């Protein structure tokens, strides 16, 4: 059995995909943020990572071995490091500098749902905290091995629960174990002319169970639906026993218990099996791209497309800063100047790029694109054809590698996101960016803040930010916490959700009460007390987590 997560231990993804920062991007970041000179902050060696000493009693270790076998209970240094952190900026800083304040005492690989049940029973009896592990891609502190008042902490990796159990082509459903990775599921489905159509940026390294536990949204969710919309049934192991919720297309049998576990982030139990709605592969995928004179015009065009029922399967509108950053990375300065000259001739001096794609039967997809083009022109859009959208799709999973390279060279990079009604989007977009810029400038580190819309609804849309700033050596965690806090306060104060698809974890927990109200938090904690009376399931996340920034 391969006990190693798919990602390299110190950063995103796999080796061999890194590259130098492109000259145009380096020039823009230098102008706004100031480029550190002579900085080379490569990660420490794996063996030099400092971890808390393991505290798991020998007799408890032996009980775990009785359940899963000796090969599937590990507590060596490398295994603990590889399962101790997600891929948020604080996670990466801690990994790179070699200081991990939280780590599981051991990592366990159950081979069946029954073994998960048995392990949770042991952990409840022995008061051992349990952190579920799928692909390790959490960006909100979802994997921190907190153990408040408990005797120890273990990580349960679901990588052995990797079977695709059933594909029902008549009902268009797929039943899979929680440890199935996105590419493996999609490859199997597409071989039969089917698709889930779920492509988060973490697609290559994340699992179905992780998607469900965090209410994941993918880059095609406008057309194919978010994970929470596509869950029809599931099985969840809790310390008080398993819960099985059968697949059904719809029900009026009270509040939907499936949705209690969708987004529960391992705080109620461990999702071991899921039934998902799937679709037939589209006959055609029809892309298009547009430049708008400003963000408000592009947003208005997207709102009209969505509310008119056109529902682009991919829709991504970059604001002025993100468009400029993208143009800066074009292959040559001449190519960039030619694009800008073309736009200026058409009255656009601060362009905002929109890429869209329409999937379906060929004639129907082309008709939707034609109707969208009419709307785009009415909002002063300038058409570019299919090429920019195709270029975006080609590189859509590669952006996190740039973050690793920039961190090595002394530039912080992190993302955050929200969603809000259309009527608040323009003001919220400006306010969040201004608060981040103000907070960063006060620390003497001017920030470059990019933003795009990437998920559409009839009532509103998402806003996804990328933040760059020169790192303050030794103060990076405080530096990011200041910017993140300013952004979180602006989001909640402006009527947005504290998270559209990154989930709560520990990092967003301070804002959850402001969004949901204290009564709902008490109801959620009451459900946890019933399913997890000893409080062992992923402590400190979602409903009662301290910030770890």
């Amino acid at each position: 059995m391969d006990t190693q997560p798919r990602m390299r231990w110190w950063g995103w993804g796999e080796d061999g995909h890194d590259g130098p920062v492109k000259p145009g991007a380096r020039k823009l970041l230098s102008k706004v943020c100031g480029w550190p000179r002579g900085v080379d902050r490569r990660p420490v060696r794996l063996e030099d990572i400092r971890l808390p000493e393991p505290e798991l009693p020998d007799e408890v270790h032996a009980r775990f071995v009785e359940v899963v076998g000796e090969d599937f209970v590990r507590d060596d240094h490398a295994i603990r490091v590889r399962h101790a952190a997600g891929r948020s900026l604080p996670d990466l800083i801690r990994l790179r500098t070699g200081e991990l304040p939280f780590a599981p005492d051991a990592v366990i690989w159950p081979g069946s749902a029954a073994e998960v049940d048995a392990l949770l029973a042991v952990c409840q009896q022995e008061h051992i905290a349990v952190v579920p592990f799928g692909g390790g891609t959490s960006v909100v502190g979802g994997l921190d091995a907190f153990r408040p008042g408990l005797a120890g902490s273990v990580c349960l990796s679901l990588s052995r629960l990797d079977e695709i159990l059933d594909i029902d082509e008549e009902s268009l459903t797929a039943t899979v174990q929680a440890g199935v990775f996105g590419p493996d599921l999609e490859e199997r489905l597409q071989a039969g002319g089917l698709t889930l159509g779920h492509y988060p940026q973490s697609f290559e390294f994340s699992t179905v169970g992780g998607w469900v536990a965090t209410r994941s949204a993918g880059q095609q969710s406008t057309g194919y639906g978010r994970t929470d919309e596509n869950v029809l049934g599931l099985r969840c192991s809790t310390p008080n026993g398993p819960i099985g919720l059968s697949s059904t297309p719809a029900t009026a049998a009270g509040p939907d218990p499936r949705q209690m576990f969708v987004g529960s982030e391992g705080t109620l139990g461990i999702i071991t099996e899921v039934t998902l709605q799937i679709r037939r592969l589209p006959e055609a995928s029809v892309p298009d791209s547009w430049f708008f004179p400003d963000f408000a015009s592009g947003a208005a065009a997207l709102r009209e497309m969505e509310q008119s029922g056109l529902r682009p399967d991919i829709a991504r509108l970059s604001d002025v800063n993100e468009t400029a950053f993208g143009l800066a990375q074009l292959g040559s300065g001449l190519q960039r100047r030619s694009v800008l000259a073309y736009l200026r001739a058409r009255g656009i001096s601060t362009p905002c790029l929109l890429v869209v794609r329409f999937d379906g039967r060929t004639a129907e997809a082309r008709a939707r694109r034609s109707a969208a083009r009419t709307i785009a022109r009415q909002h002063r859009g300038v058409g570019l054809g299919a090429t920019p959208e195709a270029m975006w799709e080609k590189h859509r999973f590669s952006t996190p590698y740039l973050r690793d390279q920039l961190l090595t060279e002394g530039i912080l990079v992190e993302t955050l996101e929200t969603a809000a009604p259309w009527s608040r989007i323009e003001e919220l977009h400006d306010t969040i960016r201004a608060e981040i810029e103000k907070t960063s400038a006060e620390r003497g580190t001017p920030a470059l803040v990019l933003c795009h819309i990437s998920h559409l609804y009839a009532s509103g849309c998402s806003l996804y930010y990328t933040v760059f700033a020169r790192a303050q050596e030794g103060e990076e965690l405080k530096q990011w916490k200041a910017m993140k806090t300013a952004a979180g306060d602006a989001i909640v104060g402006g009527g947005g959700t504290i998270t559209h698809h990154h989930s709560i974890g520990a990092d967003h927990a301070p804002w959850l009460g402001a969004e949901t109200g204290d009564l709902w938090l008490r109801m959620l904690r009451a459900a946890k007390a019933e399913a997890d009376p000893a409080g062992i399931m992923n402590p400190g996340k979602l409903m009662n987590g301290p910030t770890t920034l």
Side-chain angles (χ1 to χ4, degrees), residues 307-360:
Q307 292 177 347
S308 298
L310 299 181
R311 295 201 72 178
D313 296 274
I314 290 176
R316 186 182 182 102
L317 172 69
S318 296
D319 70 0
V320 171
N321 285 355
E322 186 167 282
T323 301
F325 189 78
L327 289 173
Q329 298 185 75
L330 287 177
S332 69
L334 177 61
Q335 186 179 12
R336 182 170 59 254
R337 289 192 294 272
S338 296
V339 171
L340 293 175
Y342 171 82
L343 292 171
R344 281 195 297 270
R346 286 153 182 81
I348 296 179
S349 58
T350 55
C352 292
L353 175 64
L354 169 66
V355 297
V356 293
R357 197 185 81 193
F358 297 93
D359 292 352

Side-chain angles (χ1 to χ4, degrees), residues 5-43:
R6 295 192 177 190
M7 290 194 294
R8 52 191 177 186
W9 69 265
W10 57 268
W12 185 262
E14 303 167 324
D15 291 337
H17 298 278
D18 302 285
V21 181
K22 293 184 178 180
R26 184 182 295 270
K27 182 178 180 180
L28 180 57
L29 288 169
S30 298
K31 179 180 178 181
V32 177
C33 304
W35 196 275
R37 294 187 178 183
V39 172
D40 187 357
R41 297 176 184 163
R42 299 182 189 184

